[in-house]
Amino acid sequence: MVAHNRYREAQPSGENTMVDSEIAQLTAAGVEVLPFIRSSDEIPSMSKAAKALLPISPIWAPRAQQDLGRLLTEHRPDVLHLHNPYPLISPWVVRTAHRHGVPVVQTVHNYRQVCSSGIYFRDGVICQDCKGRALGVPAIRHKCYRDSAAQSALMATTLAVHRGTWRSVDRYVALTTAIADHLRDYGIPDDRIVVKPNAVPDPGRPAPLGDGFLYMARLSPEKGVDLLLDAWRRHPVGALGTLRVAGDGELRPLVEAAAAERPDVVYLGQLDRAGVRAAVEASAVVIAASMWHDVLPTVIIEALASGRPVLGTALGGIPYLVGADAPHEPAGTGPAETASAVAGGGGPAMPVGIGLGEAGWVVAPEPAALAAALPVAWAGASGLAMAARARYERTFHPDVVTKQLIDIYAGMTRT
């Protein structure tokens, strides 16, 4: 059984897409999947009685527990796989499943075991003020959840109430090594954590490298488009080919102004699937300029699948995705000679502050650091293109990832 509270369709969600894809991949592999899905789009059409219970639903969600209990009794699934429980499912489903003797796997898509907003980011900077606290009072003070003190208090209370619930989950799926570290810090033992990333469909044999760079993400402060534009302006017009920007959000006016100001900046708007593929193929390097500990930017996996190396900030799951998180050589701290050797040897030493991974580069989330890395990526794209595709095939291909997930299920037994 796969349990997930879908985010509103008006707000595009990579998590929704990945849950749908994972269900399809499991079904194609012969796994019988029973979805237990709720959607936040249901809230406006709820009855008055149901809406009256909404304030407590993140903590308990009685209707969801009744429905789930009935399905567990009828179908007796081997495993319940939980994704997002908020607000209509509640972490209480873990207790409900255990009461029926069904083990629980949860994929961790964010930091909401600790952070009410789930992203460790507030007022333009990384924030971990609630880390280690019994109750997330700073989240309430700063209205971190939906910009509401009342709703932030409810979420902070939910996290406090369910601390024991989260620690009872039988197996955690960490999308990257950074999420695995987050779970260990939260008190989850190593033997209950498995690193398993998401997958994207195989687009087939990569097209020859295109020209310039592609940034494709939500145009919001935490995704770093303003950081990228600052870094880009430090180079002469046309010196690095074309910067294509795709997406939409509150910082769209900044992108439109940059495109009007410089002919080497092109704003593509919000793209459909065909548009995404065309934009990736038209570029040589994909940029992930996140300012927060971004968990798993899907655009990076899409880039690797198309044989495009990635230039990203050294935050969250980005170093893992590009293969720059090896414990013996942390990104950005190793000797330049090592970086040159990894690239194949014989090349110039990697500039200080630029970490070289198997399929790309990582830098500090600062304009000067990103500006220095742009020409390095521009010159080195062809040298990492094959390695980018190889990393996708080995780590992020649906066949590989689905088998890993089935192995996780197979290792679970009823308690």
Side-chain angles (χ1 to χ4, degrees):
M1 179 178 288
V2 173
H4 177 58
N5 190 129
R6 296 182 68 83
Y7 297 90
R8 291 181 297 110
E9 293 301 326
Q11 179 181 351
S13 164
E15 190 171 331
N16 284 351
T17 301
M18 282 301 168
V19 171
D20 293 342
S21 296
E22 196 164 90
I23 290 174
Q25 290 157 12
L26 287 168
T27 302
V31 177
E32 183 181 356
V33 180
L34 176 64
F36 182 71
I37 306 295
R38 297 292 183 270
S39 173
S40 292
D41 285 329
E42 300 170 17
I43 293 174
S45 61
M46 285 180 171
S47 66
K48 289 184 178 180
K51 287 182 178 178
L53 293 174
L54 279 175
I56 67 165
S57 62
I59 298 176
W60 181 30
R63 173 73 179 274
Q65 309 319 309
Q66 293 168 9
D67 292 345
L68 178 61
R70 186 164 53 250
L71 290 170
L72 292 173
T73 299
E74 179 181 355
H75 295 279
R76 295 192 59 77
D78 297 299
V79 178
L80 184 143
H81 188 161
L82 175 63
H83 291 270
N84 173 46
Y86 301 113
L88 301 178
I89 291 179
S90 165
W92 204 282
V93 295
V94 176
R95 304 186 188 194
T96 301
H98 284 163
R99 193 170 66 250
H100 285 78
V102 178
V104 176
V105 172
Q106 194 204 6
T107 295
V108 180
H109 296 269
N110 52 48
Y111 304 98
R112 196 162 274 150
Q113 286 80 12
V114 175
C115 175
S116 291
S117 71
I119 64 173
Y120 279 152
F121 191 85
R122 175 176 59 80
D123 297 334
V125 296
I126 291 171
C127 170
Q128 296 183 336
D129 289 353
C130 293
K131 198 171 180 180
R133 293 175 177 264
L135 180 67
V137 174
I140 302 170
R141 183 185 310 122
H142 296 290
K143 304 179 181 179
C144 290
Y145 187 64
R146 298 183 176 176
D147 198 30
S148 164
Q151 292 194 58
S152 297
L154 174 62
M155 183 55 71
T157 301
T158 299
L159 300 185
V161 167
H162 283 296
R163 189 169 288 110
T165 306
W166 291 131
R167 288 175 176 163
S168 74
V169 168
D170 301 276
R171 192 77 78 247
Y172 275 106
V173 174
L175 293 177
T176 68
T177 51
I179 287 292
D181 290 341
H182 159 72
L183 290 168
R184 291 187 195 99
D185 188 64
Y186 187 67
I188 307 300
D190 274 345
D191 61 2
R192 285 199 273 140
I193 303 171
V194 179
V195 176
K196 182 212 71 72
N198 290 330
V200 300
D202 190 343
R205 184 176 180 179
L209 286 185
D211 166 68
F213 296 81
L214 171 65
Y215 170 97
M216 186 165 55
R218 191 169 57 251
L219 304 183
S220 56
E222 74 275 9
K223 286 292 188 175
V225 68
D226 47 346
L227 163 69
L228 171 58
L229 293 175
D230 188 340
W232 191 260
R233 288 189 176 100
R234 299 181 185 215
H235 295 279
V237 173
L240 300 172
T242 301
L243 171 62
R244 298 169 183 85
V245 179
D248 204 352
E250 62 192 278
L251 298 185
R252 176 175 175 172
L254 289 182
V255 179
E256 291 176 329
E261 167 194 338
R262 294 176 59 121
D264 60 351
V265 177
V266 176
Y267 177 51
L268 302 176
Q270 192 77 40
L271 301 177
D272 57 15
R273 293 305 308 164
V276 167
R277 182 166 184 180
V280 171
E281 290 185 351
S283 305
V285 179
V286 171
I287 295 178
S290 295
M291 297 290 289
W292 69 291
H293 288 292
D294 210 339
V295 175
L296 189 143
T298 303
V299 65
I300 295 181
I301 306 178
E302 291 173 331
L304 303 183
S306 295
R308 269 56 180 171
V310 174
L311 170 59
T313 49
L315 292 172
I318 295 174
Y320 165 81
L321 291 173
V322 303
D325 68 335
H328 64 282
E329 197 66 53
T333 62
E337 293 77 14
T338 300
S340 179
V342 173
M350 190 63 56
V352 174
I354 302 175
L356 177 64
E358 177 185 349
W361 308 263
V362 291
V363 296
E366 301 165 355
L370 185 56
L374 285 167
V376 174
W378 168 250
S382 61
L384 290 186
M386 290 181 62
R389 173 66 188 186
R391 180 159 179 79
Y392 164 75
E393 292 176 348
R394 187 175 62 254
T395 309
F396 307 110
H397 193 282
D399 292 347
V400 174
V401 173
T402 302
K403 182 182 182 303
Q404 189 178 4
L405 185 55
I406 292 172
D407 288 343
I408 292 170
Y409 295 157
M412 308 297 295
T413 57
R414 284 200 173 101
T415 55

